[in-house]
Amino acid sequence: MILAEGQKVRLRNIGVRDLKAATAHKYTLSITEPLTDPARAREVYDQTGFWTKDAGACAIEGVAEADGGRLIGTLQFYRAGPGIHGLEIGYILHDEDDRGKGYASEALRLFSDLLFAENPWCHRLQLIIETWNDASARLAENCRYASEGTLRKAGYSAPDAPSDCFVYSRVRD
């Protein structure tokens, strides 16, 4: 099912055909837990379809004829935390060759608008971006997310040596 469509990408529900590609990346699916095992991803898919009121994931698919409906990446959301009236978003483009072409920015804008539209209780969307990830920080700012500060030692790329992260948010206007 198509959730949203722009000029470069469409957001749609993840299907069984996407599971192998969607679990090949360390941070691709993490709606109930990090899902890097296709068999476990299939179990979660069968139980939830990767979409609940508290967490979900969708496919980023190219709309250009050259992209042929190919899975470019994924987006996910989950509750930001107790006492926060909002959701946290994560995203990834699978192939480095697809980065810098506007796919992620259009996908994040579409997804943000979709989450606000479908969740009237949600007053805040947030992104947690490791401080070394300049491209992701620029993406956040280009998508009307405001920098709020730094979370010290919150990054997850190295569990034994967590890195600092920037917090970005977009609030309901």
Side-chain angles (χ1 to χ4, degrees):
M1 178 171 107
I2 295 174
L3 303 169
E5 188 163 346
Q7 294 181 346
K8 296 179 180 192
V9 299
R10 84 176 44 93
L11 307 183
R12 63 167 173 76
N13 293 98
I14 294 174
V16 173
R17 72 180 192 263
D18 302 315
L19 293 182
K20 184 176 179 183
T23 57
H25 301 276
K26 185 176 179 181
Y27 303 113
T28 299
L29 294 174
S30 57
I31 58 172
T32 57
E33 73 230 42
L35 296 171
T36 55
D37 173 37
R40 178 64 184 136
R42 178 61 193 255
E43 289 175 25
V44 174
Y45 173 82
D46 288 342
Q47 293 168 0
T48 67
F50 293 135
W51 202 271
T52 71
K53 69 180 183 84
D54 292 324
C58 70
I60 303 169
E61 180 179 88
V63 297
E65 190 174 320
D67 290 322
R70 144 182 96 82
L71 180 68
I72 293 173
T74 58
L75 292 145
Q76 54 274 332
F77 74 92
Y78 33 88
R79 290 280 183 146
I84 297 176
H85 297 285
L87 298 167
E88 189 168 319
I89 296 174
Y91 48 85
I92 188 169
L93 296 183
H94 297 161
D95 187 338
E96 289 206 21
D97 290 341
D98 288 328
R99 296 176 186 169
K101 296 181 178 177
Y103 296 134
S105 57
E106 185 173 71
L108 181 57
R109 282 186 205 104
L110 290 168
F111 199 53
S112 299
D113 291 345
L114 175 72
L115 291 175
F116 275 140
E118 289 194 351
N119 298 286
W121 62 268
C122 178
H123 296 283
R124 168 192 178 83
L125 299 174
Q126 70 181 31
L127 308 170
I128 307 297
I129 300 170
E130 289 180 296
T131 56
W132 58 262
N133 195 340
D134 295 333
S136 205
R138 282 191 308 274
L139 171 83
E141 291 168 2
N142 289 337
C143 291
R144 299 184 331 217
Y145 280 75
S147 176
E148 294 186 327
T150 303
L151 287 172
R152 296 176 352 162
K153 304 293 183 202
Y156 43 79
S157 60
D160 53 339
S163 61
D164 292 348
C165 294
F166 295 126
V167 180
Y168 283 85
S169 73
R170 181 174 155 193
V171 295
R172 185 182 294 276
D173 292 328

